């Protein structure tokens, strides 16, 4: 008999069939393992009525504006989208505002992961709005898809980038006022963009390129934001 | 750490030490209760070693208690039905060969090959160096092979 055979046999040594006592003990003490999907569901519940209502109101406003037979509605939507970004930032900074970051840091999932999940959920919701409105606008205005994406996506992304920078560097609950200012500025931006395109100062393609650049910067800023959450929450700022 | 999987492994280890299934089960449950009560196990990567150390110490406490032979005999009889009925002959052969080993070597072999613990954890539980664990495991396997050969000849 080789060592390998012995090692295989040893795996079965002293094997005992489980008793009722063992089953009862395991049943009583075994912690239910948390599936990764559970945290998404939990976070969806944590979003709160106000965030959901703001999202619903935005979608309704988009739908109403889309009904207008006006080629300029692309600019209205572009000016509205930064408000969706503001809703996202409000939901994201909820734990800081209510002083819950330590509690979240002590939970089963790390605060980084919770923040990432929150960003993912809210980002997905906004992405749906952007894509749906881009398709609607393409049908209504006759612009090509990429131009529409550049026009409505650039102010939104600029707003998201600015807001994440503010929340990352300004660790007070008053940072929301800074975010509102950024959202306000980016809401006005489509008016300037419209003028620049109308007077042929800037080509629409520039906004597509700008969107790509700002998206990359937003992703970088988001990663920094998620990474820094853990340290700052334990240092109590 | 999966409770069910480790419970079974710990039970086998305690049974190997005590030779009494009910007592082994008592020790395993007591081990878990003590493990959960303590906070030191949160030290990363030392959970398993800590769990086995508690179990081992509880088994040692049992050895120190005065024995009541009659009760032990009853316990063993009561425990026999817990053995899996499909136990194969070669498994019984290896268990008999294991019983002929010195206690320390038997313990090491069961921890390493039956419960599949890593050498670092075994070293922590037993309180010897990793090098010593490797050396004794080799020695134990050689003796075990001899014992099995002897039994096969018998």
């Amino acid at each position: 008999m080789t060592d390998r055979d012995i090692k295989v046999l040893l795996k079965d040594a002293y094997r005992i069939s489980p008793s009722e006592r063992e089953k009862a003990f395991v049943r009583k003490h075994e912690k239910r393992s948390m599936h990764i999907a559970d945290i998404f569901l939990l976070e969806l519940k944590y979003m709160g009525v106000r965030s959901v209502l703001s999202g619903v109101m935005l979608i309704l406003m988009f739908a109403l504006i889309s009904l207008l037979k006006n080629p300029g509605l692309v600019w209205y939507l572009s000016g509205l989208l930064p408000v969706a970004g503001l809703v996202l930032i409000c939901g994201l900074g909820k734990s800081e505002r209510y002083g819950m970051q330590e509690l979240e840091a002590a939970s089963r999932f790390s605060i980084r992961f919770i923040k990432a999940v929150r960003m993912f959920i809210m980002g997905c919701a906004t992405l749906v709005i952007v894509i749906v409105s881009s398709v609607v606008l393409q049908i209504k205005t006759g612009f090509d898809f990429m131009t529409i994406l550049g026009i409505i996506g650039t102010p939104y992304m600029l707003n998201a980038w600015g807001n994440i920078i503010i929340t990352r560097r300004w660790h007070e609950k008053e940072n929301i006022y800074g975010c509102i200012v950024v959202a306000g500025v980016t809401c006005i931006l489509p008016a300037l963009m419209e003028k620049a395109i109308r007077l042929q100062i800037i080509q629409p393609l520039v906004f597509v390129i700008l969107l790509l650049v700002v998206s990359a910067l937003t992703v970088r800023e988001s990663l920094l934001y998620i990474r820094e959450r853990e340290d700052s929450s334990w240092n109590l700022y | 750490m999966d409770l069910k999987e480790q419970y079974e492994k710990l039970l086998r280890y305690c049974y190997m030490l005590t030779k009494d299934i009910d007592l082994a089960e008592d020790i395993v449950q007591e081990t878990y209760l003590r493990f959960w009560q303590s906070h030191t196990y949160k030290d990363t990567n030392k959970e398993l070693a800590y769990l086995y150390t508690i179990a081992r110490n509880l088994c040692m406490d049992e050895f120190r208690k005065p024995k009541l032979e009659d009760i032990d005999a009853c316990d063993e009889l009561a425990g026999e039905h817990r053995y899996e009925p499909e136990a194969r002959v070669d498994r019984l052969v290896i268990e008999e060969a294991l019983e002929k080993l010195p206690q320390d070597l038997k313990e090491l072999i069961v921890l390493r090959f039956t419960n599949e613990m890593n050498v670092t954890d075994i070293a922590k539980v037993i309180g010897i160096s990793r090098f010593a664990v490797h050396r004794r495991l080799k020695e134990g396997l050689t003796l075990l092979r001899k014992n099995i050969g002897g039994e096969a000849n018998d």
Side-chain angles (χ1 to χ4, degrees):
Chain A
M1 196 178 270
T2 61
D3 275 359
R4 181 177 281 188
D5 298 330
I6 292 173
K7 284 174 191 173
V8 170
L9 284 177
L10 277 170
K11 282 188 180 150
D12 268 346
Y14 303 110
R15 191 177 284 282
I16 300 158
S17 52
S19 65
E20 282 306 314
R21 220 177 127 192
E22 178 184 331
K23 285 176 192 164
F25 185 84
V26 172
R27 210 179 307 127
K28 188 178 171 190
H29 294 283
E30 199 165 36
K31 284 182 190 152
R32 193 176 75 87
S33 59
M34 200 171 187
H35 195 266
I36 200 150
D38 294 345
I39 186 77
F40 280 87
L41 289 173
L42 272 177
E43 280 304 316
L44 270 175
K45 286 180 198 164
Y46 187 67
M47 291 292 164
V49 184
R50 269 175 288 181
S51 293
V52 175
L53 276 180
S54 326
V56 171
M57 269 174 65
L58 267 173
I59 292 168
L60 284 175
M61 279 165 87
F62 274 119
L64 278 173
I65 293 171
S66 303
L67 288 175
L68 297 171
K69 283 193 174 173
N70 183 350
L73 68 91
V74 64
W75 302 107
Y76 300 141
L77 288 181
S78 179
L80 250 179
L81 215 54
V83 183
L86 195 64
V87 173
L88 190 149
I89 292 295
C90 285
L92 212 59
K94 208 173 170 184
S95 42
E96 278 87 354
R97 271 205 308 289
Y98 298 112
M100 296 292 283
Q101 65 273 38
E102 273 201 41
L103 192 69
E104 286 187 355
S107 69
R108 198 181 298 190
F109 288 93
S110 69
I111 198 158
R112 275 181 204 189
F113 186 70
I114 293 170
K115 291 280 178 187
V117 166
R118 229 171 265 176
M119 270 188 171
F120 178 79
I121 293 171
M122 298 182 119
C124 281
T126 318
L127 192 72
V128 170
I129 296 175
V130 170
I131 290 173
V132 170
S133 49
S134 298
V135 173
V136 172
L137 287 171
Q138 196 185 3
I139 298 163
K140 289 264 180 186
T141 61
F143 281 111
D144 68 287
F145 189 75
M146 285 312 285
T147 309
I148 292 170
L149 215 59
I151 290 170
I152 67 169
T154 308
Y156 169 74
M157 271 301 167
L158 273 171
N159 175 51
W161 182 45
N163 282 350
I164 294 170
I165 289 176
I166 288 173
T167 37
R168 188 167 77 81
R169 299 189 180 192
W170 185 359
H171 295 145
E172 306 288 337
K173 55 185 174 185
E174 287 78 17
N175 61 13
I176 195 70
Y177 301 119
C179 295
I180 292 169
V181 170
V182 173
V185 170
T186 44
C187 281
I188 301 164
L189 201 65
L192 302 172
M193 286 161 69
E194 192 259 337
K195 204 165 189 177
I197 290 179
R198 192 156 39 84
L199 298 175
Q200 292 187 330
I201 301 167
I202 300 172
Q203 289 296 311
L205 185 69
V206 174
F207 292 117
V208 179
I209 296 165
L210 192 62
L211 174 66
L212 291 173
V213 173
V214 179
S215 300
L217 288 170
T218 310
V219 169
R220 181 184 166 271
E221 207 60 40
S222 305
L223 292 175
L224 284 172
Y225 172 79
I226 292 167
R227 202 177 303 152
E228 285 175 14
R229 281 307 84 185
E230 201 105 39
D231 310 328
S232 51
S233 61
W234 287 113
N235 290 337
L236 293 173
Y237 306 137
Chain B
M1 193 166 56
D2 182 38
L3 171 62
K4 194 172 186 304
E5 186 195 338
Q6 283 311 324
Y7 187 103
E8 281 170 19
K9 286 182 174 175
L10 206 60
L11 183 62
R12 285 160 84 176
Y13 173 64
C14 291
Y15 174 66
M16 183 272 294
L17 288 174
T18 60
K19 294 288 168 295
D20 180 340
I21 291 175
D22 291 327
L23 178 63
E25 194 136 30
D26 283 342
I27 290 173
V28 171
Q29 297 198 354
E30 179 64 24
T31 301
Y32 268 107
L33 295 177
R34 289 192 187 194
F35 177 76
W36 287 324
Q37 271 170 8
S38 172
H39 296 287
T40 46
Y41 71 88
K42 282 179 182 169
D43 199 357
T44 49
N45 298 329
K46 289 181 184 169
E47 293 176 2
L48 201 63
Y50 188 61
L51 190 73
Y52 274 81
T53 305
I54 299 172
R56 192 169 187 263
N57 288 343
L58 285 173
C59 289
M60 296 304 154
D61 287 347
E62 283 302 321
F63 291 144
R64 289 190 195 108
K65 283 182 186 169
K67 295 253 176 186
L68 294 169
E69 295 297 330
D70 294 343
I71 293 173
D72 275 357
C74 289
D75 278 350
E76 262 184 57
L77 282 172
E80 267 177 18
H81 72 278
R82 295 276 308 276
Y83 246 116
E84 286 189 343
E86 67 272 23
R88 294 182 313 182
V89 177
D90 44 5
R91 204 187 93 183
L92 298 174
V93 167
I94 204 143
E95 280 175 17
E96 273 182 38
L98 270 171
E99 288 306 318
K100 286 178 189 167
L101 289 180
Q103 181 67 23
D104 57 337
L105 293 184
K106 183 170 73 172
E107 199 177 340
L108 278 174
I109 284 183
V110 168
L111 285 176
R112 181 75 187 104
F113 302 113
T114 307
N115 284 4
E116 294 169 326
M117 263 176 97
N118 64 43
V119 173
T120 312
D121 281 342
I122 296 173
K124 278 177 200 154
V125 174
I126 309 288
I128 55 176
S129 70
R130 292 173 67 232
F131 177 74
V133 173
H134 278 295
R135 194 172 46 79
R136 289 194 198 176
L137 278 172
K138 204 173 173 185
E139 187 187 335
L141 276 176
T142 314
L143 267 175
L144 194 65
R145 204 180 320 112
K146 266 187 203 165
N147 288 346
I148 291 168
E151 272 171 30
N153 291 336
D154 291 343

